[in-house]
Amino acid sequence: MELIDLTLIWIAIIGLGVFMYVLMDGFDLGVGILFPFAPDEEARDTMMNTVAPVWDGNETWLILGGAGLLAAFPLVYAVFLPALYIGVFLLLAGLIFRGVAFEFRFKANRSKYLWNWSFFGGSLVASFAQGAVVGAYIQGFEVDGFTYVGGPLDWLTPFTVMTGLALVCGYTLLGATWLILKTEGALQDWAYSVARWMLGAVMLFFAVISIWTPLAEARVMERWLGNIEWLWIFPLVTLAAAAWLWQAIEKRREGIPFIATLTLFITFYAGLLISMWPLAVPPEHTFWDAASAPESQLFLLLGVLFITPVILGYTAWTYWVFRGKVRAGEGYH
């Protein structure tokens, strides 16, 4: 009998990687979604400069989570890739378009507007695809043993469209509060206005998805009803975080709106984990079913335990170096 459950350790590592990616890449995807609606071209320059020093480092967490998933839970890859091939392709294509736009927009003259739209389109598509993939995970996969037997578009349903749009609004809120933190003047005033509207949209989607999910998925309903004596804490914390965010916006705080939005995402993420635990490939296979051999997990764990503090260290250093306001005419580029 194992003294240490390596599968639990890997669940924590991958959960951390995915969570850090959602929080840290979420705000720069949100900035991209807001791009066409900015007050003017100078505002767009400033918006891009707020995320230019950190966006590529943020995506390191996606690589950590994805590579760890392949190594520690190969069954997840065996089912997710054929089931979500189109959604994952859209996600990666969006990230590529966005990355190219970062580098080319500041060097373009007459074609700058094309890169503006590339930045927006890549951010929008990547955000929607991520939300749709989460929705597909919630609704489950058609499998025969360890083989996916569904169709290539089974992931695209009204429910996953709803979760995709919800994440787009969530990232937009995160991007708006990031701009509140990093900018000033007219651009910051505009970001305050956007944050108010996006908070309303996010809470509307939260209510709809909270009702739709247990009605559509019996296992989620059973989980919620079976633990109702303590699960009520999560919607209460979510509402408290939303009220905190609204108050911070109305009082024109600068740092608190971003922190409150991160708190909202934490409660959403915790609610998802609790609703789906311990399923890695719903509706049948748990993380332990999907796990690789303990020897493989242990071998790979040694490398991950070395590299994770390095990632945390240079991420913290980057944010420290580029702290403070970003003003027009200043920035990374």
Side-chain angles (χ1 to χ4, degrees), residues 179-244:
L179 292 176
I180 290 171
L181 174 66
K182 298 292 289 184
T183 65
E184 58 189 9
L187 179 54
Q188 187 187 58
D189 292 339
W190 175 76
Y192 275 116
S193 177
V194 170
R196 289 187 186 94
W197 285 100
M198 285 299 104
L199 175 58
V202 167
M203 295 311 295
L204 177 62
F205 276 115
F206 169 72
V208 172
I209 292 174
S210 296
I211 296 170
W212 192 339
T213 300
L215 293 178
E217 303 299 328
R219 66 181 182 279
V220 176
M221 175 73 81
E222 183 179 351
R223 171 65 57 83
W224 288 10
L225 293 179
N227 298 276
I228 194 66
E229 65 275 6
W230 58 271
L231 272 181
W232 62 269
I233 296 173
F234 287 92
L236 185 63
V237 172
T238 301
L239 292 174
W244 185 32

Side-chain angles (χ1 to χ4, degrees), residues 66-89:
L69 197 64
L70 173 61
F73 302 101
L75 173 61
V76 174
Y77 257 73
V79 174
F80 278 32
L81 282 188
L84 303 173
Y85 181 84
I86 296 175
V88 172
F89 172 80

